[in-house]
Amino acid sequence: MPVRVLFSAPASDWTLYEPHLARACAARGLDVVLSPDADDPAAVDYVVYSPKGGLEDFGAFTRLKAVLSLWAGVERIASNPTLRVPLARMVDAGLTEGMCDYVAGHVLRYHLGLDDHLARQDGVWRGDAVPPLARERTVAVLGQGALGRAAAETLAALGFRTIGWSRTPKPPHPRIDGRSADDGLAATLAEAEILVLLLPATPATENLLDADRLARLPRRACIVNPGRGTLIDDAALLAALDAGEVAHATLDVFREEPLPPDHPYWHHPRVTVTPHIAAETRPSTASEVVAENIARVEAGRPLLHEVDRALGY
Amino acid sequence: MPVRVLFSAPASDWTLYEPHLARACAARGLDVVLSPDADDPAAVDYVVYSPKGGLEDFGAFTRLKAVLSLWAGVERIASNPTLRVPLARMVDAGLTEGMCDYVAGHVLRYHLGLDDHLARQDGVWRGDAVPPLARERTVAVLGQGALGRAAAETLAALGFRTIGWSRTPKPPHPRIDGRSADDGLAATLAEAEILVLLLPATPATENLLDADRLARLPRRACIVNPGRGTLIDDAALLAALDAGEVAHATLDVFREEPLPPDHPYWHHPRVTVTPHIAAETRPSTASEVVAENIARVEAGRPLLHEVDRALGY
């Protein structure tokens, strides 16, 4: 009997994913029926899930074995009380690589003062504008999960003095200065000339970067947030930018997306908005992860990247 | 008898270098007299040399053992007929690191389309602007000397498909696609979505990037030149930019520096001028190289980074 897989995501995603998913399942010898429609929820074995697919109630999926998220961020589905089977988040090599590109690009942009160079095409030769070396610059990455650790490794490979903070201690890394817990966070913020936010959205990280913590940053620090919109107290950040205490922020994620056209972030001279592009799941590599997880459950093995529902990630 | 070292550079450099040079020589047990003035050229053993120091005639330096350049680019002094002793160019770790920072920053800027993001803070959420991954982007570095190889290694570590071209073949590198000679150059240009110029200024590289070679680049390629101003045929580049064949150029070096205020590069919408900041010699690390070379010659050992006067680098 074939394994029945519901692809619960926008129709445009189905077009992108269907050939990759079919190929990845076939490569593992899986006999699957892939469908974007749940005509009979009670017959579905697996749900491949995007929050944009509209599926909210898993009650009728009585045969369900697991839900396989296409997104790395699973805060909405993780708290869904109708979901009673294991949930896997997406850890996609393409997504991770894209995130590292984004973080490296914006950190180097701040490090080199690129915005100033772009703005100063005025015929005045300013020969005194040599930036420090990367190894003379401290960058901190808050969050040391798959994405945060990969981003910190990329920054360390570029030579930056790199701090990696996580709520709980992580395995040591030869080129990342690992910190954890609340006292580690305070010390990290005090040194972070450039701060990168790659924490999950959980109740514990909501408004993590509030007025008090912003005030701990070195004066004229820069912030890059490709993580989650809820990590930042928006009013506190705008106040710190207005006061010149924080020099600049590049924000890719927001509490409301698309970011409304009249939001002050769009119009603030010290903010760069990017439209949630830092980490995009890539169908080719993500389909391998989905197929691998179906194969694992069918073989009685544990899911890759299973979500701890209590933690929310 | 002490070794006499003339520091022939602007007075501001003397202030920066003197403590570092004194310390680096003392650390090697060298008995040196450092001076910014050549009261008696016939007593000078070594000249530490900047082109900005004004020294043009080495005829009176009858006791001279070597000239130690503070600059990586030695094209002017290499062709000085009055110089008849070995010449060393500067290969400074700090200079190399700063160059890698600059190249990585501007290549990622082009890769991510950062200029567009900075320009589009208009309230319009453009969700389709996901860039390719670094490994889907081909970057070529022309020149595989100390700086070019280090820059190519940095780009390869970031995941870019990296081609390293040099006039003569270089030792292979596991992550750099090495090419050489004229046919290798033609093939390299045809693939280079982003082209980085790190060749020395020699008669053979003058106007290397001329109209014919610019026309070989993929349409909408970007160019980063932190190497030498003479590498580019300026009129040909401006024509290619005007025609939209080359998308953008970031130029750090020019035939005339400071670049004159009325030069078209300053005012071209597809050109970013930076004021020769990509690679600055750092006094602390450069002084170690100078002291090491004095120690080597005093011990009868060959110079580090000795210039081949015929090649000019």
Side-chain angles (χ1 to χ4, degrees):
Chain A
M1 204 166 91
V3 174
R4 294 189 176 273
V5 179
L6 168 64
F7 189 85
S8 179
S12 56
D13 281 351
W14 172 247
T15 310
L16 287 171
Y17 274 88
E18 195 274 337
H20 294 290
L21 269 178
R23 194 178 312 125
C25 288
R28 287 166 178 80
L30 292 167
D31 177 18
V32 298
V33 176
L34 299 168
S35 169
D37 304 304
D39 300 328
D40 180 7
V44 170
D45 295 292
Y46 298 91
V47 171
V48 178
Y49 176 85
S50 159
K52 293 187 176 170
L55 180 56
E56 299 283 351
D57 185 351
F58 290 88
F61 291 81
T62 51
R63 184 189 167 84
L64 200 61
K65 298 177 187 170
V67 172
L68 311 171
S69 174
L70 290 175
W71 285 30
V74 290
E75 58 272 13
R76 276 175 57 190
I77 185 172
S79 62
N80 185 326
T82 71
L83 181 63
R84 297 196 182 84
V85 297
L87 168 66
R89 53 194 289 276
M90 180 51 63
V91 178
D92 168 42
L95 181 151
T96 304
E97 287 175 45
M99 177 64 82
C100 290
D101 292 357
Y102 181 97
V103 169
H106 286 282
V107 167
L108 279 163
R109 169 187 160 216
Y110 284 136
H111 171 64
L112 296 171
L114 286 191
D115 294 18
D116 283 348
H117 287 299
L118 298 184
R120 286 176 181 168
Q121 299 299 303
D122 56 1
V124 180
W125 185 266
R126 298 171 179 86
D128 56 347
V130 178
L133 297 176
R135 68 169 131 115
E136 297 162 342
R137 182 81 74 182
T138 300
V139 184
V141 180
L142 303 192
Q144 288 289 286
L147 289 175
R149 180 49 70 95
E153 285 175 344
T154 298
L155 295 170
L158 285 168
F160 288 104
R161 182 167 172 258
T162 306
I163 302 174
W165 179 86
S166 47
R167 185 155 296 280
T168 53
K170 298 285 179 180
H173 185 285
R175 299 195 59 185
I176 300 170
D177 179 2
R179 312 262 181 95
S180 61
D182 283 344
D183 57 336
L185 180 57
T188 297
L189 293 172
E191 295 173 55
E193 294 171 83
I194 303 171
L195 181 69
V196 180
L197 303 182
L198 278 170
L199 291 157
T202 70
T205 63
E206 171 122 29
N207 291 323
L208 182 105
L209 207 60
D210 58 11
D212 284 352
R213 294 211 178 88
L214 284 165
R216 291 185 186 273
L217 291 168
R219 200 171 161 76
R220 312 292 302 155
C222 294
I223 295 169
V224 182
N225 185 16
R228 285 289 163 189
T230 54
L231 303 176
I232 296 178
D233 178 335
D234 295 319
L237 176 57
L238 286 163
L241 288 161
D242 284 337
E245 292 159 11
V246 170
H248 208 280
T250 294
L251 309 174
D252 188 55
V253 288
F254 306 91
R255 282 187 161 76
E256 183 181 353
E257 294 184 7
L259 186 68
D262 59 350
H263 195 285
Y265 281 149
W266 276 120
H267 308 289
H268 201 290
R270 293 175 178 154
V271 173
T272 300
V273 171
T274 59
H276 203 144
I277 55 164
E280 190 83 350
T281 304
R282 314 275 164 164
S284 59
T285 46
S287 293
E288 296 291 329
V289 178
V290 169
E292 179 64 20
N293 260 340
I294 294 174
R296 290 173 74 97
V297 175
E298 291 298 308
R301 296 165 60 206
L303 280 175
L304 295 172
H305 319 307
E306 185 170 350
V307 174
D308 181 327
R309 303 280 297 276
L311 288 172
Y313 61 91
Chain B
M1 205 166 91
V3 173
R4 294 188 177 274
V5 178
L6 168 64
F7 189 84
S8 178
S12 56
D13 281 350
W14 171 247
T15 309
L16 287 171
Y17 273 88
E18 195 274 337
H20 293 289
L21 268 178
R23 193 178 313 126
C25 288
R28 286 166 178 80
L30 292 168
D31 178 17
V32 298
V33 176
L34 299 167
S35 169
D37 304 303
D39 300 329
D40 180 6
V44 170
D45 295 293
Y46 297 91
V47 170
V48 178
Y49 176 85
S50 158
K52 293 188 177 171
L55 180 56
E56 299 282 351
D57 185 352
F58 290 88
F61 291 81
T62 51
R63 183 189 168 84
L64 201 61
K65 299 176 187 170
V67 171
L68 311 170
S69 174
L70 290 176
W71 286 29
V74 291
E75 57 270 16
R76 276 174 57 188
I77 186 174
S79 61
N80 185 324
T82 71
L83 180 63
R84 296 196 183 83
V85 297
L87 168 67
R89 54 194 289 275
M90 178 53 62
V91 178
D92 168 41
L95 181 151
T96 304
E97 287 175 44
M99 177 63 83
C100 290
D101 292 356
Y102 181 96
V103 170
H106 286 282
V107 167
L108 279 163
R109 170 187 159 216
Y110 284 135
H111 171 63
L112 296 170
L114 286 190
D115 294 19
D116 282 347
H117 287 299
L118 298 184
R120 288 177 181 168
Q121 299 299 302
D122 56 2
V124 180
W125 184 266
R126 297 173 179 85
D128 58 346
V130 177
L133 297 176
R135 68 170 131 114
E136 297 162 344
R137 182 82 74 183
T138 300
V139 185
V141 180
L142 303 192
Q144 289 288 286
L147 290 174
R149 179 49 71 97
E153 285 176 345
T154 298
L155 295 170
L158 285 168
F160 289 104
R161 182 168 173 258
T162 306
I163 302 173
W165 180 86
S166 48
R167 186 155 294 282
T168 54
K170 298 285 179 180
H173 184 285
R175 299 195 57 186
I176 300 169
D177 179 3
R179 312 262 180 96
S180 60
D182 283 343
D183 57 337
L185 179 57
T188 297
L189 293 172
E191 295 175 54
E193 294 172 82
I194 304 171
L195 181 69
V196 180
L197 304 181
L198 279 170
L199 291 157
T202 69
T205 64
E206 172 122 28
N207 290 323
L208 182 106
L209 207 59
D210 58 13
D212 284 351
R213 294 212 178 89
L214 284 165
R216 291 185 186 272
L217 291 169
R219 200 171 161 75
R220 312 293 302 154
C222 294
I223 296 169
V224 182
N225 184 14
R228 286 288 164 188
T230 54
L231 303 176
I232 295 177
D233 178 334
D234 295 319
L237 176 58
L238 286 163
L241 288 162
D242 285 337
E245 292 160 13
V246 170
H248 207 279
T250 294
L251 309 174
D252 188 55
V253 287
F254 306 91
R255 283 187 159 76
E256 183 181 354
E257 294 184 9
L259 187 68
D262 59 349
H263 195 286
Y265 281 150
W266 275 119
H267 308 288
H268 201 290
R270 293 175 178 152
V271 173
T272 300
V273 171
T274 59
H276 203 146
I277 55 165
E280 190 83 350
T281 304
R282 315 275 165 164
S284 59
T285 44
S287 293
E288 295 291 329
V289 178
V290 169
E292 179 63 21
N293 260 340
I294 293 173
R296 290 173 73 98
V297 175
E298 291 299 308
R301 296 166 59 207
L303 279 174
L304 294 173
H305 318 307
E306 185 170 351
V307 174
D308 181 325
R309 303 280 295 277
L311 288 173
Y313 61 91

